[in-house]
Amino acid sequence: MINVNHLIRMFCLFLFTVVGYGFYNAYLPITDPVESNYVLSAVTMLKHNSWISPMIYDNVWYDKPPLTYWVLMITYKLFGISDFTSRIPNTLIAGISVSFIYHIVYRIKQSIPIAITSAILLMSTLQFWYISHAIITDGFLFFFSLATFGYAYLALEYHDRSAMVKAYAATGFAIITKGPIGLLLPGLILLLFTFVKALQSKDSKCKALLQEWRILFNPLGILVCLLIASPWYIAMYNMHGIDFILGFLGLHNVDRALVSEHPKFDVWYYYLIIVPIALLPWTPLLISKLRKLDWHHNFNQLSALWFFIIILFYSLVATKYLTYTLPAIIPCIIWTGEQLVSVLHNRFSDCKNSFAFIKLVLTPYIIFNLIFLIATFFDSSLSPTPLIISSILCLGSCIIITRRKTITKSTIMYLILPILCIYSAITITVPPILTSQSGIQFKPYLQKDIPTYIRHLLYLINLLYRHNANSSICRYKRRSTLD
Amino acid sequence: MPTQVFVDTKDDPRWTKGKNLMPTITKQELLNNSKNLNKAIVIVPNKYDRDFITTEIYQQSKKIGQTKSGKIYQLH
């Protein structure tokens, strides 16, 4: 039974995230090529009233399963088509993920401080913040992966069959968000985890493995997963036959794994660079936790398998995107949450431990802010003012925290508010960069009934931009013709 | 609907076909049709501007604008 205080905390975390992340979204134009593809697909599907087959440029497209398009289509039906409404689904799922990580960490660790800290750390982690502002599938996949991770651990640790059914339900939704990978990776990780648990058993290892598998292969859970995931795949196969198999499973899943879309990023160390950056500003805190982790604990073993297998899998996959490994940060956030609670506790119970707090929390925090502030001086279109203000607030709050002798709720607020200020300042600063990656820059020149030709691709900032780089031109032209 | 003009590409053809669904014509098709494209807008990313100004279409067009990413031409 969930108590009222627990629900209130979940709601506050949700609200805090949605307001913080939704701030200034109306001024963030839709960028090419990824965001614009999702938006244009949802608009095209609405135009054709096509709720089963994903479409773009009036053609069926097998790139992704439909969940992200459905959510965008429902949002457009309710609130109309705009830059702001296009970002609503990812803002909401970010809020749900933040409040849910509080819930699941509380159930795993039985500690309110660790649960709240994990939620706040997730909200303030660079990669999560970035992906939650983008119109892509990964925010949804993160939420379903988090639910799979948390409920599967609870099921296997406490032999809780209902938790395993919830994990399967989350997996079903992951499959209609991102495809078979939603099942493949968690399935492989959990299977390995059952082997690891059985190997450590003091009784018969075969008996222990069978017992684990009785929990893992829950018939009701498998049925629920199939009921959620299979109808769309069956409907698509009935409608498009072998074209769907070859296009969706062949090109957009298997070929993408074997042949790089962006050969220059296909290097084995790609994610070894991305992950430490993704976890900023909390990377030093995580490293300090990993140095003294108890690897015999089941939670840490599952977490390690979860992290390393996801990173290893995507390092082997030829096509690399910086968003792919987002689910890998789930255990990192929980470990970092534990470490921050420990560092805060030590800091305020023993003044000698102030150095660890300054070294692991405040210094990275200030450097993180300064990196963004310095970056604004390298682009004349960016205003440094918002980041100068957030830097002053950040320094001020750091001074206040270091002078405090006891930990209170307001201490946590002195950590959170500057983080929100930093991210708000970044959000206010980046629109000129986004505009240069968006078709909106050409909107004044697009006229109804006059054909528009785009000479090859935009390749705007030499990263990740491909042939269909100009979908947002279609969107902005469409909007101008609708006006 | 905007149409994309292909210049040279070194990308794997499966991605060109599978990920590039915007209506597309080749550079030659654009050149051949240029006389029929009255008032058409041509958006040229900065990267391709040097190549574009050597083409016949450039002679038939007027620059009507510029953004950070490219130049905008309109055919006569």
Side-chain angles (χ1 to χ4, degrees):
Chain A
M1 189 73 182
I2 298 175
N3 69 37
V4 176
N5 285 338
H6 188 78
L7 284 176
I8 289 171
R9 284 186 211 108
M10 285 179 76
F11 180 72
C12 288
L13 286 164
F14 170 80
L15 204 63
F16 212 46
T17 310
V18 168
V19 172
Y21 279 25
F23 170 73
Y24 217 69
N25 268 359
Y27 301 95
L28 305 179
I30 291 157
T31 58
D32 286 317
V34 181
E35 289 189 326
S36 53
N37 276 344
Y38 286 107
V39 170
L40 192 60
S41 293
V43 171
T44 310
M45 288 165 78
L46 273 180
K47 179 182 146 192
H48 291 269
N49 200 25
S50 172
W51 289 83
I52 305 289
S53 305
M55 297 183 76
I56 193 166
Y57 300 111
D58 297 333
N59 294 310
V60 174
W61 196 30
Y62 305 116
D63 186 50
K64 289 283 186 307
L67 190 127
T68 310
Y69 305 128
W70 285 342
V71 180
L72 277 169
M73 289 162 78
I74 292 166
T75 308
Y76 292 154
K77 280 257 182 196
L78 292 173
F79 306 112
I81 302 168
S82 71
D83 293 344
F84 180 70
T85 56
S86 298
R87 294 187 194 280
I88 286 176
N90 274 279
T91 306
L92 291 179
I93 201 69
I96 293 168
S97 294
V98 168
S99 66
F100 185 76
I101 201 170
Y102 159 76
H103 171 69
I104 207 74
V105 172
Y106 175 72
R107 286 204 54 195
I108 292 170
K109 298 286 178 186
Q110 296 295 314
S111 161
I112 293 172
I114 294 175
I116 291 179
T117 310
S118 299
I120 291 167
L121 291 184
L122 177 64
M123 182 173 56
S124 54
T125 298
L126 181 61
Q127 189 179 31
F128 183 76
W129 172 84
Y130 158 67
I131 286 172
S132 300
H133 279 75
I135 307 159
I136 47 177
T137 55
D138 299 85
F140 292 94
L141 181 69
F142 179 86
F143 171 68
F144 298 127
S145 301
L146 174 62
T148 304
F149 172 85
Y151 284 127
Y153 172 75
L154 290 170
L156 291 167
E157 186 66 12
Y158 303 109
H159 293 183
D160 180 346
R161 289 175 194 277
S162 68
M164 189 50 84
V165 174
K166 290 174 190 168
Y168 271 106
T171 304
F173 284 110
I175 296 169
I176 55 165
T177 301
K178 198 84 172 178
I181 201 71
L183 172 69
L184 186 70
L185 274 179
L188 176 65
I189 293 162
L190 292 170
L191 200 60
L192 284 174
F193 180 57
T194 57
F195 279 113
V196 170
K197 275 188 86 180
L199 281 173
Q200 294 173 112
S201 172
K202 287 170 187 163
D203 305 324
S204 160
K205 298 194 186 332
C206 279
K207 200 176 162 188
L209 187 62
L210 282 174
Q211 199 176 350
E212 296 295 334
W213 282 6
R214 263 188 224 118
I215 302 291
L216 183 63
F217 297 104
N218 182 311
L220 180 61
I222 293 168
L223 182 67
V224 168
C225 180
L226 281 173
L227 284 174
I228 293 168
S230 62
W232 179 77
Y233 287 86
I234 293 167
M236 283 296 282
Y237 182 71
N238 282 336
M239 289 167 78
H240 306 290
I242 196 69
D243 285 349
F244 170 63
I245 302 292
L246 294 175
F248 180 75
L249 294 176
L251 181 71
H252 290 293
N253 280 276
V254 176
D255 284 1
R256 197 178 283 202
L258 301 175
V259 182
S260 180
E261 278 184 54
H262 318 286
K264 65 180 173 181
F265 296 124
D266 186 16
V267 289
W268 63 269
Y269 51 85
Y270 182 82
Y271 293 111
L272 299 184
I273 296 170
I274 293 296
V275 172
I277 296 170
L279 288 163
L280 285 174
W282 310 116
T283 316
L285 206 53
L286 173 68
I287 293 168
S288 76
K289 174 69 181 177
L290 292 178
R291 287 163 65 183
K292 51 186 176 184
L293 206 62
D294 173 12
W295 296 106
H296 294 101
H297 195 283
N298 283 342
F299 176 79
N300 293 337
Q301 287 173 353
L302 174 62
S303 296
L305 281 172
W306 184 274
F307 177 79
F308 286 113
I309 287 176
I310 292 176
I311 299 297
L312 181 66
F313 177 84
Y314 284 115
S315 295
L316 294 173
V317 163
T319 299
K320 291 182 171 63
Y321 276 108
L322 54 87
T323 58
Y324 278 174
T325 50
L326 180 68
I329 74 168
I330 292 168
C332 301
I333 294 294
I334 302 171
W335 280 329
T336 313
E338 283 182 299
Q339 182 68 351
L340 182 55
V341 169
S342 163
V343 168
L344 280 171
H345 178 76
N346 291 337
R347 155 72 181 88
F348 291 103
S349 60
D350 179 1
C351 285
K352 287 176 186 169
N353 284 313
S354 289
F355 181 66
F357 179 68
I358 293 168
K359 185 177 75 175
L360 297 174
V361 182
L362 296 188
T363 308
Y365 195 73
I366 293 166
I367 292 172
F368 182 67
N369 194 45
L370 287 177
I371 288 169
F372 284 100
L373 176 61
I374 292 164
T376 61
F377 293 105
F378 288 92
D379 188 330
S380 58
S381 67
L382 303 179
S383 164
T385 312
L387 279 153
I388 289 172
I389 294 168
S390 75
S391 299
I392 293 165
L393 284 170
C394 185
L395 276 171
S397 73
C398 287
I399 291 166
I400 291 168
I401 293 170
T402 49
R403 287 185 171 187
R404 292 206 150 206
K405 289 194 168 45
T406 55
I407 184 167
T408 61
K409 283 177 186 169
S410 63
T411 314
I412 302 291
M413 293 309 284
Y414 278 116
L415 271 174
I416 300 170
L417 289 176
I419 278 272
L420 281 179
C421 284
I422 293 172
Y423 283 123
S424 300
I426 297 168
T427 312
I428 293 170
T429 306
V430 295
I433 295 175
L434 301 186
T435 301
S436 70
Q437 296 172 35
S438 171
I440 198 170
Q441 63 186 309
F442 302 115
K443 193 184 171 190
Y445 307 102
L446 304 179
Q447 296 164 44
K448 197 179 174 184
D449 302 328
I450 291 185
T452 305
Y453 291 86
I454 300 136
R455 186 137 177 104
H456 200 251
L457 343 164
L458 284 181
Y459 275 108
L460 294 171
I461 51 170
N462 303 320
L463 288 171
L464 302 177
Y465 289 90
R466 296 197 53 77
H467 293 279
N468 52 346
N470 308 94
S471 302
S472 71
I473 285 180
C474 269
R475 207 193 78 71
Y476 287 112
K477 189 168 184 184
R478 183 181 302 280
R479 190 168 65 173
S480 65
T481 56
L482 287 174
D483 284 344
Chain B
M1 188 176 283
T3 304
Q4 184 177 206
V5 183
F6 263 130
V7 192
D8 302 322
T9 176
K10 291 174 186 167
D11 286 5
D12 191 297
R14 79 190 79 194
W15 300 125
T16 311
K17 191 180 170 197
K19 295 283 285 184
N20 177 41
L21 299 168
M22 181 183 274
T24 302
I25 59 170
T26 64
K27 183 178 172 181
Q28 197 55 48
E29 283 170 326
L30 179 67
L31 291 171
N32 294 344
N33 288 330
S34 60
K35 290 194 173 91
N36 304 323
L37 297 172
N38 190 26
K39 300 284 183 193
I41 305 285
V42 182
I43 298 171
V44 184
N46 292 331
K47 186 178 176 181
Y48 298 98
D49 195 51
R50 188 174 287 182
D51 174 59
F52 180 72
I53 58 176
T54 63
T55 64
E56 197 182 313
I57 295 179
Y58 176 71
Q59 307 299 328
Q60 300 166 28
S61 64
K62 186 179 78 172
K63 184 179 148 193
I64 58 167
Q66 182 166 4
T67 69
K68 200 176 173 183
S69 317
K71 295 189 176 82
I72 300 99
Y73 297 89
Q74 185 158 34
L75 300 187
H76 299 310

